[in-house]
Amino acid sequence: MSNTIKDVVLSDDRPKSLLLQKHSDYLASYGLNKDDYEYCMTEYLRMSGIYWSLTAMELMGQSHRMPKEEIIEFIKSCQDTESGGVSSSVGHDPHMLYTLSAVQVLAMYDRLDCLDVEGLVRFVSSLQNEDGSFCGDKWGEVDTRFSFCAVMCLSLLQRLDAIDVSKTVDFVLSCMNFDGGFGSKPGSESHAGLIYCCVGTLSICKRLDALRADELAWWLCERQLPSGGLNGRPEKLPDLCYSWWVMSSLSMLNRIHWVDKNNLKQFIMACQDAETGGFSDRPGDITDPFHTLFGLAGLSLLGETAIKPVNPTYCLPQETIDRLKLEPQVLHI
């Protein structure tokens, strides 16, 4: 059996400083050509794409470059009048993921009132099952991601009372594995992205005390590879987005100092495209708004002062969470 670690090698000519203006230009121009192949093929992600792009711009202090009123009108057009949920784009089915993205965007804009809030609450609460789990939509897929989406969405709307919070927590805890981590459902393999969803759910519900914090934090720290990058599971290549999923969880656990921050910062910087702007999953790959947000948010957690503070639970600017007077739990050591 080979002992070779799957990793990448950072080239000497990699970007080593933060290219904020390039990233702002990249996001401001992204999607302007509505006939572009990539734009057409990502219609099913449109609502999430708006959230990724706007949050990244907010963290850079550049959100004024985004078409605010156009974005708000688009979100309004995607709310389903019957179910109350929000879809990825006009004509698509409403889903928990896109409902959350819409609420996050409107929370940043302080315009939550422009949607039918009671409809949103009805949609989210209708997807809770008897065991406390949540479906993503009417088709019935259950996943801990949807538990987090439901809890975060209702928290931003100040309506957590609309669901059974105790059962929600019980279901999430039933997904805890022997290594302290979490998967998508009971018995599923631990995965850093799903750990963030479960820890985030417990943070909002103020039940982080139920975690095996040291075991979980150790598992998360073992995701760091010699390149400095983080992977989501053992034996996988590093991916920039885990700079968020892993570091946000460690931040909520108050153990972010367990990771080699300098090495991780070098990896994140190396994932920038010095020509076009934007971040990619690994150095040299194609950039996208998803990895651009999580690269910037990861740097914010690492203390990069050129980027606004990000809240590790909500993945929104801390100033938004402060304005809404939300206080997600962070463990005290």
Side-chain angles (χ1 to χ4, degrees):
M1 182 181 293
S2 171
N3 290 321
T4 303
I5 298 175
K6 292 183 178 179
D7 200 2
V8 298
V9 177
L10 304 186
S11 64
D12 290 336
D13 62 349
R14 67 185 184 275
K16 298 181 179 69
S17 59
L18 185 55
L19 310 172
L20 279 183
Q21 189 60 50
K22 290 268 189 182
H23 303 321
S24 177
D25 292 344
Y26 166 74
L27 291 171
S29 63
Y30 192 87
L32 288 182
N33 181 6
K34 302 296 193 285
D35 296 322
D36 182 75
Y37 175 78
E38 185 178 4
Y39 182 86
C40 296
M41 292 303 290
T42 56
E43 185 178 70
Y44 71 100
L45 287 173
R46 186 76 68 244
M47 191 65 68
S48 293
I50 291 172
Y51 158 69
W52 299 327
S53 298
L54 179 63
T55 310
M57 289 293 246
E58 283 277 2
L59 291 175
M60 292 187 288
Q62 294 288 312
S63 60
H64 60 275
R65 300 187 66 181
M66 301 287 282
K68 179 177 179 177
E69 294 306 319
E70 185 181 328
I71 287 171
I72 291 172
E73 286 305 310
F74 174 75
I75 291 174
K76 288 166 65 174
S77 72
C78 291
Q79 185 171 26
D80 180 54
T81 53
E82 185 177 339
S83 70
V86 180
S87 59
S88 62
S89 194
V90 177
H92 290 241
D93 288 341
H95 194 285
M96 189 80 82
L97 291 171
Y98 308 119
T99 300
L100 174 60
S101 292
V103 169
Q104 288 174 300
V105 169
L106 294 175
M108 284 185 280
Y109 279 146
D110 197 16
R111 288 293 306 278
L112 287 167
D113 60 334
C114 77
L115 287 182
D116 172 10
V117 173
E118 289 307 313
L120 292 171
V121 173
R122 184 176 69 251
F123 174 73
V124 173
S125 61
S126 73
L127 293 171
Q128 185 167 32
N129 300 308
E130 184 58 34
D131 65 355
S133 65
F134 283 84
C135 301
D137 58 17
K138 65 182 180 181
W139 304 111
E141 181 189 5
V142 171
D143 191 306
T144 47
R145 287 179 303 156
F146 309 144
S147 297
F148 186 42
C149 289
V151 165
M152 193 198 296
C153 188
L154 293 177
S155 170
L156 290 168
L157 295 170
Q158 314 281 355
R159 287 298 306 277
L160 266 178
D161 61 298
I163 58 170
D164 190 323
V165 173
S166 180
K167 281 190 174 182
T168 302
V169 169
D170 287 345
F171 174 74
V172 167
L173 292 178
S174 76
C175 299
M176 188 189 298
N177 292 321
F178 71 94
D179 52 20
F182 295 85
S184 59
K185 52 182 68 73
S188 294
E189 177 187 10
S190 294
H191 183 285
L194 296 164
I195 287 170
Y196 163 70
C197 292
C198 292
V199 175
T201 300
L202 297 174
S203 169
I204 293 172
C205 296
K206 297 183 172 26
R207 283 301 313 280
L208 290 178
D209 60 283
L211 293 170
R212 300 207 298 273
D214 282 343
E215 288 175 58
L216 176 54
W218 182 252
W219 189 93
L220 289 166
C221 290
E222 286 191 320
R223 305 281 57 79
Q224 189 163 34
L225 297 164
S227 65
L230 299 158
N231 62 20
R233 291 176 290 160
E235 301 300 317
K236 297 293 183 180
L237 284 169
D239 185 323
L240 178 68
C241 65
Y242 294 107
S243 305
W244 173 257
W245 313 122
V246 171
M247 296 297 280
S248 58
S249 297
L250 286 171
S251 183
M252 286 183 272
L253 295 171
N254 210 356
R255 288 161 172 80
I256 199 168
H257 54 286
W258 286 16
V259 162
D260 186 328
K261 293 183 179 181
N262 288 332
N263 272 1
L264 176 57
K265 186 172 182 178
Q266 288 181 26
F267 177 83
I268 295 175
M269 294 294 191
C271 293
Q272 300 174 103
D273 190 313
E275 294 182 20
T276 66
F279 290 79
S280 56
D281 59 347
R282 283 178 281 279
D285 287 355
I286 301 296
T287 61
D288 58 70
F290 174 86
H291 288 94
T292 299
L293 167 59
F294 294 124
L296 292 167
L299 288 171
S300 177
L301 290 178
L302 290 171
E304 174 57 59
T305 56
I307 303 169
K308 290 181 184 179
V310 66
N311 183 273
T313 301
Y314 290 88
C315 198
L316 289 170
Q318 184 60 46
E319 61 192 20
T320 299
I321 303 306
D322 291 342
R323 174 167 44 78
L324 293 171
K325 296 181 169 59
L326 298 172
E327 296 181 351
Q329 185 183 25
V330 174
L331 272 186
H332 295 291
I333 296 180

